[in-house]
Amino acid sequence: MSDDPETARQIAELASDDRPLLVLDVDEVVLEFVQPFMRYLESIDLELGLATFSLFQNVVRRSDRQKVEPSEVAEHLDTFFAVQAEWQTAAADAAETIARLSRNAEIVMLTAMPHRHRPVRRAHLDALGFPYPLLTTEMPKGPAILKLRGPDKRPVAFVDDIPKNLLSVRDFVADAHLVNLMSYGAMRAVMPPLPADIAVADDWKTAAPSIEKALGI
Ligand SMILES: [Mg+2]
């Protein structure tokens, strides 16, 4: 099992909670990501296209339309995460809907980004009305959610925009209710097809009923 030791350390710090568990990705689920990242790239003369479901393969320089190497895109993404508070806003209806769900479920945010960006993201999420625990991981999400669930078979729901993350969770927590939520709907056109048992939602208003049903809340 691939297991991120720093994520495991963060999980060990959480207060124990035996309520149904709702785990949320951050980018494209709690916070807008694709559109703010596009605007950030434009500010440095770059452009993200949507030819395929990849951030790293679809960036060109606006001045000469030359492709930007994936390694350079990764550097820009890292800088973007450092200044995310200047660019990223809350996803529509996320704050109100998650606050309602939090009355009867444990909410944990699990974001795949370098651990060093955790304090910046923590502060920004607090400022936007998301006071729930935030975990970072640099490895697959499935093992983290298995650990978060704890020894009892409490109901689990997981929301993410990236199919790979949803499938990782299914591998480790087979009965988790999985929801594909993507704030920036245009990305869906180039996304690989999802297995039929993964719920699809374009916004929080659509996502909430199946989560409440799965968690029994
Ligand atoms: Mg995401």
Side-chain angles (χ1 to χ4, degrees), residues 63-77:
S63 49
D64 58 11
R65 311 306 293 172
Q66 286 299 302
K67 186 184 171 189
V68 175
E69 285 306 311
S71 59
E72 189 190 328
V73 178
E75 287 171 23
H76 293 306
L77 181 62

Side-chain angles (χ1 to χ4, degrees), residues 1 19 98 102 112 116 131 156 159 167 172 185 198 201 203 207 209 215-216:
M1 176 195 299
R19 294 176 297 168
I98 298 166
S102 76
R116 65 180 177 280
V156 177
V159 186
L167 297 176
F172 286 87
I198 296 179
D203 54 46
L215 295 181

